Amino acid sequence: MKDWRADYERHPSLDFPTGNIKGFSDSEKTLYITHGYGYYFPVQAREVFVQDERYFGSDWMEPKTGGPEAHHVNTMRFSAGLRGVSSAALSEYLDKHIEGHFEEFIDSYFEGTPFVTDMVKTVYRFWRREQTPVIRKSLKLLLAYNLTQHIT
């Protein structure tokens, strides 16, 4: 969450040209998606065949004492399988975060943003006390939105 705008603004365009896609593999394999917080969920995926692989690179900057440090990694050429991502598996994955070590997750994920950290923890504690379904749904939405920014 912290410093995301610096990475975003470095890229004049984040478009992925669909004309670059030549096709998809007929076979699917199971990938286990995680965000590094102890939970994962399975997704059926298939390889994407492309003309130009440079669109599968991901780069970012990290602040360091001696100045910003650049990082780059090439991602795999995979797309969700024909059935897409299971809503039930995704919901269970989010539930595990909320029912598990949610406050530790918030401390780690929103590090450097004390207002946001305290606000989300206050909402979470209210939900734990009251068990209001609409608050839980809101926490799941907040969690899902923020986790879409970060997949390992």
Side-chain angles (χ1 to χ4, degrees):
M1 189 75 186
K2 49 190 176 290
D3 302 327
W4 67 270
R5 186 173 295 280
D7 287 325
Y8 180 79
E9 290 175 346
R10 287 184 314 109
H11 300 282
S13 170
L14 295 175
D15 293 339
F16 182 86
T18 55
N20 187 40
I21 298 173
K22 293 191 293 188
F24 299 91
S25 172
D26 292 331
S27 63
E28 294 183 358
K29 61 171 62 175
T30 303
L31 299 180
Y32 293 93
I33 305 297
T34 183
H35 294 86
Y37 296 100
Y39 310 108
Y40 63 89
F41 70 99
V43 173
Q44 288 302 114
R46 56 190 176 153
E47 187 175 0
V48 178
F49 303 115
V50 296
Q51 297 174 44
D52 186 352
E53 293 195 20
R54 68 186 164 126
Y55 294 103
F56 288 91
S58 180
D59 60 83
W60 67 97
M61 302 292 287
E62 290 186 11
K64 298 290 181 184
T65 307
E69 185 176 295
H71 298 272
H72 179 84
V73 66
N74 286 326
T75 61
M76 299 298 295
R77 299 179 326 249
F78 281 103
S79 173
L82 292 173
R83 292 182 301 278
V85 176
S86 165
S87 295
L90 180 57
S91 182
E92 180 183 336
Y93 177 72
L94 295 172
D95 287 338
K96 287 178 181 178
H97 279 79
I98 291 173
E99 294 163 2
H101 305 287
F102 190 74
E103 289 196 38
E104 290 85 356
F105 163 76
I106 294 302
D107 285 336
S108 172
Y109 195 83
F110 291 102
E111 179 185 359
T113 58
F115 175 76
V116 174
T117 301
D118 288 345
M119 182 179 65
V120 174
K121 287 169 111 177
T122 300
V123 171
Y124 175 73
R125 290 171 186 157
F126 176 80
W127 170 75
R128 294 292 292 184
R129 189 178 69 235
E130 300 296 326
Q131 297 292 307
T132 311
V134 71
I135 300 296
R136 182 182 179 83
K137 285 183 182 180
S138 298
L139 288 169
K140 282 178 85 168
L141 176 63
L142 175 79
L143 180 63
Y145 174 77
N146 283 287
L147 290 178
T148 59
Q149 309 299 315
H150 164 212
I151 296 179
T152 57

